Amino acid sequence: MSTTETAPPSARTETPKGERVADWMDGRLGIYNFRFLIRKVFPEHWSFMFGEIALYSFVVLLLTGIWLTLFFDPSMSETVYKGPYTALQGVRMSQAYSSTVHISFEVRGGLFIRQLHHWSALTMIGALCCHTLRHFLTGSFRKPREVNWLIGFVLLVLVTLEGFVGYSLPDDLLSGTGLRIAEGVTLAIPLVGTYLSMFLFGGEFPGHNVIGRFYSFHILLIPGIIVALLTVHLILVFYHKHTQFRGPARTEQNVVGQPLFPHYTAKAGGFFFLIAGVLSLLAGIAQINPVWTYGPYRADQISQGSQPDWYMGFLEGALRAMPSWEFAVAGHTVNLGVLIPAVILPTLMMAVIALWPFLEAWVTGDRREHHLLDRPRDHPTRTAFGVAFVSLYLVLFFGGANDVLAEMFHLSLNQITWAVRIGVFAVPAVAYVVTRRICLGLLLRERDKLLHGRETGRIRRLPHGEFVEVHERLDRHREYALLARKSYEPLPAPSPERDGVPNPRLRKEMLRYRLSRWLFGGQIPKPTPQEMREALAHFGHAEGGHAALNGHGSPNGHGSANGHGSADGHGSADGHGSANGHGSPDGHLETGAERPADGREPDQELL
């Protein structure tokens, strides 16, 4: 017979309150089932910060925007200003402009919050542009991330539109001038332009409804869409795993980095406060959009040197550079001076950005999943095209400031305008050629380092009196990173006939062939295994027969001739340590994809 002893009530310990709350939450939300997210691995690279900067700026935008809605009045009804700013006293203005001035001068902290909101918007759009460029140059848009690329592109367009709409709300002279340009661009759209203009402005420009409608778009419609798309974007980032640059132990099947908790969480939290602090510093010391100096908007007034926010500068420059071409069709005027630079050109630019992943996939016929990134130099044509695109944007951006440049540098306005017109065609072409040559030169230099070693700065005198510089073999991590890059080759030329029958898809295949030659032609190949064996043998001979110049071979005879593996079969013949290229420093294989004992996912590796 056995007995069970029960501890007396005085000896029992009460469950901590925090544990009880956690159990209560888990019983209703199932949070414990998502514990795998805590060990989600994030790779590390400085370029990944652009997306975080955009996200944290958006958080600041939401917080400051909510605060501003408590004081802003979007009405366009007229009032007479009687506030403390003497320069505007007695001036008739809209309620929207009056409330903006009221926030700036009479609400405690109002000017600071206004400027923080504005600086956050500018920073977010800039970070999104850099984020998009980073994805483009590294090829992270490839399968399975094409949909996420499109979502990111739509986010960039929506955020830019959101910035323009919010910039127009104060109804000051500068924002009203921007609205006048928007009205002209809308009217230039054939067939539907007049209907769209009536919808936006509620009648003839400037109308009495545009600020109220833009206010609804700015605080409700566009932010709601942005939040929804941003949520889907982040979910897909988690689902597809993070991309990473090539390197030791990094494959298409794993992720090497730091876990979400506590490492990444701590760094991300600190980075958020750093971004918020920098934005607050800008808001406190760098004045932006001083609407009280511009005055309220009047359709019969305009000021010299007026400039939009930087993200709309390219559109301003395109409008200023385009000649005033127009013609009439059936009594309707088609204004090419507005239609081409403000409608057709931005549409083409956006179409190229959105459809590039599908164009590249169609040309290459590549249907594999890609989780490893290219370095920009690894894909010279794509990189050169991206730089040319950016240079076109910058030419138009500076063209939008032609009057300011003419005044500051005492130049002719017409000469600057013609320089922009010529630069639109010449600068991207020159940037394309120069960037491509730089990329090819960097690849050629890396090939030379692999085959002949790096320069050490040490000079050696040979027996016959010649002085030569000593070259040293690269370290294994650097060598692996250079050898692991993806080699791209153009498609083979299509055959005009197949078994004596004309090829019905010849035109399509010829187009793909020519595009593939443009994308991948003239590449610098990696050294072949035979070339690497000869180079490693040369390094070993130069050091008097040691296994490797950098000492990776062992003195007991187990090191290979190239120092990367061991003679007992733990290394490969070409010096990469293992068949998958992830050999350890002692020559033994590291799979890097086995399930660890600490419960990590099989596709994640911690640094």
Side-chain angles (χ1 to χ4, degrees), residues 6 26 135 232 254 256 272 323 329 334 358 371 376 383 407 411 427 540 578:
T6 304
D26 182 66
H135 281 288
V232 176
N254 71 348
V256 179
F272 167 75
V329 177
V334 179
F358 305 97
H371 302 287
T383 301
E407 181 180 3
L411 300 173
V427 173
S578 67

Side-chain angles (χ1 to χ4, degrees), residues 121-377:
L122 298 183
T123 304
M124 181 182 180
I125 298 174
L128 277 179
C129 291
C130 294
H131 185 64
T132 303
L133 184 62
R134 196 271 296 180
H135 281 288
F136 180 84
L137 296 180
T138 58
S140 66
F141 51 75
R142 294 171 293 183
K143 184 181 178 181
R145 296 175 177 83
E146 300 97 333
V147 174
N148 220 14
W149 168 268
L150 291 177
I151 292 175
F153 164 75
V154 174
L155 279 172
L156 178 59
V157 175
L158 286 177
V159 170
T160 303
L161 181 61
E162 172 79 343
F164 174 76
V165 171
Y167 174 80
S168 305
L169 291 181
D171 197 31
D172 59 285
L173 183 59
L174 186 61
S175 65
T177 303
L179 278 178
R180 165 65 80 181
I181 296 175
E183 188 251 356
V185 171
T186 306
L187 288 176
I189 302 176
L191 301 179
V192 298
T194 54
Y195 299 99
L196 290 177
S197 178
M198 290 293 178
F199 168 75
L200 286 177
F201 297 98
E204 297 291 338
F205 179 84
H208 298 282
N209 301 319
V210 60
I211 300 298
R213 294 180 180 182
F214 275 19
Y215 185 68
S216 301
F217 295 158
H218 185 69
I219 69 169
L220 183 62
L221 180 61
I222 301 179
I225 298 175
I226 291 175
V227 170
L229 291 178
L230 184 60
T231 303
V232 176
H233 184 75
L234 294 178
I235 291 174
L236 289 178
V237 169
F238 267 75
Y239 176 72
H240 291 143
K241 301 198 303 281
H242 287 269
T243 54
Q244 58 187 346
F245 286 94
R246 301 177 186 273
R250 298 176 182 180
T251 69
E252 296 282 4
Q253 287 77 37
N254 71 348
V255 179
V256 179
Q258 299 289 353
L260 174 63
F261 186 84
H263 300 78
Y264 183 79
T265 304
K267 290 193 293 186
F271 194 47
F272 167 75
F273 289 110
L274 179 63
I275 295 300
V278 172
L279 292 175
S280 299
L281 183 64
L282 287 173
I285 66 175
Q287 180 175 273
I288 187 171
N289 199 24
V291 295
W292 55 89
T293 64
Y294 306 143
Y297 177 70
R298 288 184 52 180
D300 60 339
Q301 292 182 356
I302 193 172
S303 60
Q304 185 271 339
S306 59
Q307 300 292 311
D309 280 343
W310 73 267
Y311 50 86
M312 300 301 296
F314 82 101
L315 186 64
E316 178 83 5
L319 286 168
R320 296 189 184 192
M322 183 67 190
S324 56
W325 295 345
E326 63 179 36
F327 61 91
V329 177
H332 297 278
T333 300
V334 179
N335 192 342
L336 296 180
V338 177
L339 181 63
I340 292 177
V343 179
I344 296 178
L345 179 62
T347 302
L348 289 177
M349 295 173 69
M350 290 188 294
V352 169
I353 296 175
L355 300 179
W356 182 274
F358 305 97
L359 171 65
E360 189 169 313
W362 178 75
V363 171
T364 60
D366 188 3
R367 298 295 183 266
R368 298 171 299 173
E369 290 193 0
H370 295 272
H371 302 287
L372 290 177
L373 299 173
D374 294 328
R375 297 176 305 165
R377 70 185 66 177

